[in-house]
Amino acid sequence: MQTSRRFFELPREVKRRYAEKDGAGAGYREIGAQTFEADKPEDLRESFDLHLDTPDSVYPEAEVPELMPLTRQFTDRCKELALRVLYLIAVGLKLEDRCFFDKNHFEMESKSFTGIRLLYYPEIKNPSDVKDKQTRCGEHSDWGSITLLFQDDVGGLEIKNVEGKFVEATPVEGTVLVNIADLLQRWTSDRLISAPHRVKMSTTGGSSSRQSVAFFVFPDNSTVVQSLDSAHKYPPIITADYAAEKIASTFY
């Protein structure tokens, strides 16, 4: 995470050179670019999104030349881990075809919303700068199949449990947090739940800087997600359509 921190600590005008363009889904997003809760102020975070086929021009090679090779190596490892997790989920669900999820995540590198998000929550030095009801990241669930989350040791992430209460997801050194996401919940007719989560402010309104890296795993764009059992709790939906709806509702 030290490498991504170097990018986020660059001057604002430099970071803006690498801003997302034309809805490409890759590039830098400053504070206010995405908000999960429309009735609250903008989330206090920055991000840099990269897909597996992101062109070289999106990377800040002049300022942080090591970012491109490091993130590409990292995403390759994440892809391997994600497919292993999805295989184990298929085993746990006792699917007849244990490779079902593999087959529906075959085009991660080209025809998928799968990608990495580098996240940075700047230090808040003056609590009076925080608006009423403002948070670092508003309550939301992830949209794809699963998410692999890598955290620093600062903390702040909270997960809503089945009783509707938020509990802290305290960072554990050397571990990866795996989130079930919306489309896997639909596939399994709620056997696996896409838990809402958020990143809270400290009780005093101020906070040190925080970093995390999320690897969002989506089925292939053309995949039709429908119940794996006879429950048919959700209507079938095409992955690309679902993702497009979510993007339209949260980005500004």
Side-chain angles (χ1 to χ4, degrees):
M1 294 185 189
Q2 291 296 325
T3 301
S4 61
R5 177 181 285 272
R6 285 183 54 203
F7 171 79
F8 288 116
E9 291 179 343
L10 291 170
R12 186 180 185 187
E13 62 271 16
V14 175
K15 291 185 288 188
R16 281 182 162 181
R17 296 175 195 164
Y18 303 97
E20 181 195 13
K21 296 179 176 64
D22 303 322
Y28 171 68
R29 296 190 177 106
E30 62 185 356
I31 290 175
Q34 184 183 32
T35 299
F36 288 113
E37 296 180 272
D39 60 338
K40 294 182 179 180
E42 67 276 9
D43 293 346
L44 290 173
R45 61 188 169 90
E46 303 174 48
S47 65
F48 198 106
D49 284 18
L50 299 161
H51 293 293
L52 302 190
D53 61 347
T54 294
D56 294 357
S57 59
V58 173
Y59 291 88
E61 291 193 77
E63 296 83 6
V64 192
E66 62 270 39
L67 184 63
M68 181 170 67
L70 283 175
T71 52
R72 287 185 170 172
Q73 292 171 20
F74 184 70
T75 52
D76 285 345
R77 297 291 299 275
C78 285
K79 178 183 173 182
E80 295 174 8
L81 177 58
L83 291 174
R84 289 173 63 188
V85 171
L86 288 168
Y87 177 81
L88 292 174
I89 289 173
V91 172
L93 292 170
K94 296 181 171 57
L95 298 186
E96 184 176 342
D97 182 0
R98 301 293 173 84
C99 295
F100 173 82
F101 294 121
D102 290 43
K103 294 174 181 177
N104 284 284
H105 295 77
F106 184 72
E107 298 180 306
M108 272 194 207
E109 296 184 9
S110 57
K111 299 177 182 178
S112 168
F113 283 87
T114 296
I116 189 172
R117 175 171 292 174
L118 311 175
L119 287 152
Y120 182 68
Y121 303 81
E123 180 182 5
I124 300 168
K125 297 180 180 179
N126 188 353
S128 64
D129 292 337
V130 180
K131 302 173 184 176
D132 183 44
K133 297 183 179 180
Q134 194 169 32
T135 187
R136 297 196 123 181
C137 184
E139 179 181 344
H140 67 285
S141 59
D142 294 340
W143 307 336
S145 303
I146 60 173
T147 300
L148 307 179
L149 183 69
F150 305 80
Q151 305 183 75
D152 64 13
D153 59 0
V154 173
L157 177 65
E158 294 185 326
I159 310 292
K160 184 180 283 187
N161 63 21
V162 293
E163 297 174 346
K165 297 179 180 179
F166 277 101
V167 296
E168 292 189 15
T170 304
V172 178
E173 185 177 357
T175 64
V176 181
L177 189 152
V178 179
N179 283 341
I180 301 299
D182 295 353
L183 291 176
L184 188 55
Q185 177 171 333
R186 295 173 73 103
W187 249 326
T188 62
S189 298
D190 294 353
R191 287 184 65 187
L192 300 176
I193 299 296
S194 179
H197 48 281
R198 65 187 184 187
V199 180
K200 66 177 181 178
M201 302 293 297
S202 73
T203 55
T204 59
S207 188
S208 60
S209 62
R210 177 182 186 271
Q211 284 186 272
S212 63
V213 178
F215 186 72
F216 299 110
V217 182
F218 280 79
D220 300 335
N221 289 343
S222 60
T223 295
V224 178
V225 177
Q226 54 189 336
S227 297
L228 291 169
D229 56 23
S230 58
H232 301 298
K233 192 164 186 176
Y234 300 97
I237 191 166
I238 299 172
T239 297
D241 292 344
Y242 186 80
E245 290 174 10
K246 290 293 188 177
I247 290 170
S249 68
T250 61
F251 285 102
Y252 299 94

